[in-house]
Amino acid sequence: VIHVVSVDIVLRTHPLIRYFNGFLSLFEDVSDTLAFVSGILRLSTKYYVQRLRQQCIDILGRKIPTSFLTFRSRRYSEFSADICFSIINLARETNVPEWLPFMFYLCARLPTNLVLNGTAAAVLSWKDRAICLAGRAKLLHAQRTISYAPFIDIKHSASCENHPTLCASRILETNWINWERQIFVEIFALESHTPISMKHHVCPPCVEYAMLQHREGCEKVWDILPGMFQLGSWEDIWNRQNDDISIMLTSIFSPS
Ligand SMILES: [Zn+2]
């Protein structure tokens, strides 16, 4: 116990740590944030310095969405394969499962060879490579049957301005083959898109109706995202993340 407390004191009083929050404004992109946080998160987890650990989780967590609302609020082009693999490995090592669903989502969009072989900087464990590739198949299915279903199983709006079947048949006519091919191959299950040709051929109420169902579908896919990568539900993730830390702290600090 003395050993743990002394490490705790060192971590709390180290000059770098005292100015920890001051460093935050320096890191705009996820790559710098990850480089800054990963070592401290590993150490604070290893020595159960809970406050510091939570600070690290909060800092990097600002870049990684854990709700549909935060997912919709930004873009993710800065997440390279290196970064995705590194964050998954870090999350596994330091027990932060809340980062995993979205990171697996991004990995599932990468070429299979890249997922299998990794990069010079980071490689996933065999288990996570298998989880990622199996999850990709589930995502494609969810994309086709949930978030993009309104563009496949076409239903016209009750306030359709054309003949009831006209809008539906026009959607089918419009460059549909390209769309269908993409839906079966590329992953964009969470992203909102409007088929451009749809706006030219379908009345506004029908476009609006399809888009509403589509956006609700994207949120449904977000809700079941963890299950596609063997992580249970979002609630399971929060419970596991908090429980594991409570167990660690109890076992270290309770009198034996
Ligand atoms: Zn219509």
Side-chain angles (χ1 to χ4, degrees), residues 156 160-162 167 202-203 206:
H156 65 90
C160 179
E161 292 168 0
N162 293 321
C167 278
V202 179
C203 78
C206 281

Side-chain angles (χ1 to χ4, degrees), residues 191-245:
E191 273 97 335
S192 247
H193 289 300
T194 315
I196 295 166
S197 53
M198 187 173 168
K199 283 187 172 171
H200 297 316
H201 295 84
V202 179
C203 78
C206 281
V207 173
E208 201 178 312
Y209 184 61
M211 287 306 296
L212 177 69
Q213 290 181 309
H214 165 54
R215 280 192 289 266
E216 286 173 358
C218 290
E219 192 164 0
K220 278 183 200 158
V221 173
W222 176 272
D223 289 342
I224 60 172
L225 192 62
M228 295 185 205
F229 300 104
Q230 298 192 9
L231 296 162
S233 65
W234 281 105
E235 200 175 358
D236 293 336
I237 286 177
W238 311 130
N239 291 338
R240 204 177 317 136
Q241 193 161 310
N242 296 330
D243 284 355
D244 286 357
I245 287 301

Side-chain angles (χ1 to χ4, degrees), residues 116-127:
L116 288 177
N117 299 324
T119 65
V123 182
L124 291 178
S125 69
W126 275 111
K127 188 182 172 194

